[in-house]
Amino acid sequence: MADATSSSASSAASPTFDEVFCGLLPRLYRRAVMLAGSRQSAEDVVHEAYLKLAARPQRFLAHPEPYAYAFTAVLNVARDAYRKDRRQVLVDGLEGVEEAGAGGGAGGGLGGAPGGWDGGVERRQAEIEAVRLLGAVSRIMCGAR
């Protein structure tokens, strides 16, 4: 009988990665919205942080302050996303370069767009899919009904 109570006590004393992360999720999400500036970006940031933390769950669980550890991951992901967005080149700025280059005529690029390939459409579709998957993962992990 003592074995049964000690095993249940040890399982209660050591929650799983998903239980701890789901407990922190509302706070992390609120902070991510402030950092990222939009709900969609915040969802992406929290999802990326989850993936980084899930790669090494024992480090996260062994940390004396799991929220601080998770928030640091969220902050780092938000900074990386900001830096990546800053490096993006506006498509309007490239139209003159495309016309001056040895490319074909107007509309001859990939995707059939008048100025050539429109990577923004693919990126938006990928972002929509990522948000859909994040919602499904969040419902599964946190036991949403």
Side-chain angles (χ1 to χ4, degrees):
M1 189 69 163
D3 291 335
T5 56
S6 66
S7 67
S8 66
S10 67
S11 67
S14 60
T16 66
F17 172 79
D18 290 331
E19 291 171 346
V20 174
F21 190 83
C22 285
L24 301 174
L25 192 58
R27 290 172 60 193
L28 290 173
Y29 180 71
R30 283 193 302 269
R31 297 294 182 233
V33 169
M34 287 191 276
L35 290 170
S38 71
R39 292 179 61 196
Q40 294 81 13
S41 296
E43 289 173 357
D44 291 343
V45 165
V46 171
H47 182 246
E48 287 295 320
Y50 174 83
L51 294 176
K52 286 181 182 269
L53 293 171
R56 295 184 179 171
Q58 294 308 322
R59 280 182 139 183
F60 174 67
L61 294 173
H63 197 275
E65 290 291 332
Y67 174 75
Y69 193 80
F71 178 73
T72 301
V74 166
L75 183 61
N76 290 338
V77 169
R79 283 182 185 148
D80 290 345
Y82 174 74
R83 290 177 184 140
K84 183 179 177 184
D85 286 345
R86 268 194 333 191
R87 289 191 303 258
Q88 297 292 324
V89 177
L90 296 176
V91 176
D92 293 339
L94 292 178
E95 286 181 12
V97 173
E98 235 175 63
E99 293 169 2
L110 297 173
W117 177 70
D118 182 14
V121 173
E122 266 187 35
R123 181 175 181 218
R124 284 188 294 276
Q125 290 172 347
E127 287 173 350
I128 290 169
E129 181 66 13
V131 169
R132 186 188 66 77
L133 290 173
L134 175 62
V137 168
S138 295
R139 283 190 293 278
I140 291 169
M141 298 266 188
C142 295
R145 296 163 235 339

